[in-house]
């Protein structure tokens, strides 16, 4: 693995624009389950019944039962060494932008400043009726949080069947087209349009470095360097290797 870490560090060292695309796997070591692993959320909740906008509008009380479980885990979660390592890469000038599919705010909590949130952020709730916004923390005591107007509130996350925020989509494709290196961290790459980012980056010549516990559909099709193992160990090893090399100009 150390040879692969050295190769990955060299690729980041030589890259003039580096992105990271992160998925639920990067937050597993913060206590938040991912979705598609054996112990993932979708092993206990059918996404067709709990994660679509239709399901939420049809039976918000039922969907809030799952959302409350996630919300408690997110409320207790703290950034792990993988989040902290990506924030350090940003500070050292080796990472230009994080694009995350996660809604747990842990990249920002770790100190990362440049984070595109593809699927929104669970930290705030909005009223589908009058549009009022609330902090999730302020509504944590209500099993089914309601707006002052009486409507059931919806977390500001993207459900299946909803659009990705247009600005996030546009900016991420612009960056993917110009990237020279892309870190893929803790994602099964099963969900579009996030999973088209590595395809676009690869087409434009970027080096794809994948960090995952197991191989994914991308590993054999477009990954250049596969770092197998937990992100909370692999990313700090990558940071340590980069710190042995010549610092980025201006850092
Ligand atoms: N370190 C690295 N990778 C890990 C770790 C870990 N500690 N733990 C799990 N993984 C990997 C799993 O092997 C899997 O490949 O993370 C990946 C998580 O995949 P998913 O559960 O499918 O999560 P994600 O790719 O983020 O899903 C994308 O699907 O359900 C929707 O909106 C949801 O944003 C989510 C999207």
């Amino acid at each position: 693995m150390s040879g692969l870490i050295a190769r990955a560090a060299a690729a980041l060292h030589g890259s003039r624009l580096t992105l990271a695309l992160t998925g639920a796997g990067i937050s597993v070591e913060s206590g938040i389950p991912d979705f598609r692993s054996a112990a993932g959320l979708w092993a206990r909740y059918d996404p067709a019944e709990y994660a679509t906008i239709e399901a939420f509008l049809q039976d918000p009380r039922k969907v809030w039962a799952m959302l409350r479980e996630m919300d408690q885990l997110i409320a207790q979660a703290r950034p792990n060494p993988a989040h902290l390592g990506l924030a350090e890469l940003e500070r050292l000038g080796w990472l230009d932008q994080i694009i995350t599919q996660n809604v747990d705010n842990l990249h920002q909590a770790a100190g990362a400043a440049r984070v595109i949130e593809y699927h929104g952020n669970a930290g705030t709730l909005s009223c589908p009726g009058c549009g009022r916004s609330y902090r999730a923390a302020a509504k944590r005591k209500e099993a089914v949080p309601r707006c002052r107007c009486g409507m059931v509130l919806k977390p500001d996350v993207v459900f299946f069947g909803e659009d990705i925020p247009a600005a996030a989509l546009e900016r991420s494709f612009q960056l993917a087209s110009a990237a020279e290196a892309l870190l893929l961290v803790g994602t099964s790459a099963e969900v579009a349009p996030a999973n088209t980012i590595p395809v676009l980056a690869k087409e434009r010549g970027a080096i794809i470095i994948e960090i995952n516990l197991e191989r994914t559909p991308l590993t054999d099709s477009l990954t250049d360097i596969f770092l197998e193992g937990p992100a909370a160990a692999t990313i700090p090893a990558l940071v340590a290797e980069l710190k042995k090399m010549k610092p980025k100009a201006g850092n």
Side-chain angles (χ1 to χ4, degrees):
M1 171 63 96
S2 60
L4 287 173
I5 292 278
R7 271 184 60 205
L12 296 184
H13 194 267
S15 168
R16 285 165 299 180
L17 196 156
T18 299
L19 308 179
L21 173 64
T22 66
I26 198 171
S27 297
V28 166
E29 290 157 285
S30 295
I32 302 172
D34 65 12
F35 295 96
R36 294 173 183 81
S37 292
L41 199 70
W42 298 155
R44 288 178 289 116
Y45 293 99
D46 177 353
E49 281 187 50
Y50 286 90
T52 67
I53 187 59
E54 295 78 13
F56 180 82
L57 296 173
Q58 198 172 17
D59 190 347
R61 177 175 291 279
K62 174 180 173 185
V63 173
W64 263 108
M66 180 270 291
L67 292 172
R68 268 281 163 260
E69 183 178 321
M70 281 298 276
D71 182 56
Q72 298 303 341
L73 293 169
I74 289 174
Q76 296 156 17
R78 297 293 172 266
N80 69 55
H83 300 104
L84 295 166
L86 288 186
E88 188 170 8
L89 286 181
E90 181 188 273
R91 265 196 307 280
L92 294 171
W94 298 118
L95 178 60
D96 298 282
Q97 182 74 49
I98 293 170
I99 301 165
T100 189
Q101 301 170 87
N102 302 338
V103 298
D104 55 32
N105 206 60
L106 289 177
H107 286 301
Q108 296 91 326
R114 295 192 294 278
V115 182
I116 293 175
E117 293 179 311
Y118 240 54
H119 295 157
N121 190 308
T124 52
L125 314 176
S126 293
C127 177
C130 70
R132 274 193 190 92
S133 181
Y134 296 79
R135 285 186 321 104
K139 288 290 194 176
R140 218 146 254 158
K141 291 190 175 52
E142 301 172 35
V144 181
R146 287 185 182 276
C147 176
R148 271 185 288 177
C149 77
M151 288 278 282
V152 174
L153 294 170
K154 176 182 170 298
D156 291 337
V157 301
V158 177
F159 282 69
F160 286 115
E162 289 190 294
D163 292 334
I164 303 297
L169 209 56
E170 190 183 331
R171 184 82 182 107
S172 60
F173 285 147
Q174 270 173 357
L175 289 164
S177 307
E180 294 186 359
L182 171 68
L183 280 166
L184 269 178
V185 190
T187 182
S188 64
E190 301 248 352
V191 174
N195 64 358
T196 58
I197 291 170
V199 175
L200 180 55
K202 180 77 176 186
E203 275 169 8
R204 299 296 176 88
I207 295 177
I208 310 296
I209 299 163
E210 186 175 17
I211 295 173
N212 202 308
L213 290 181
E214 59 192 18
R215 305 180 81 80
T216 68
L218 298 183
T219 312
D220 298 323
S221 59
L222 57 84
T223 294
D224 296 297
I225 303 171
F226 179 53
L227 303 177
E228 189 168 4
T234 311
I235 290 182
L238 198 48
V239 175
E241 191 67 26
L242 262 167
K243 286 169 113 172
K244 292 182 208 163
M245 303 165 92
K246 187 167 172 292
K248 190 93 173 178
N251 270 287

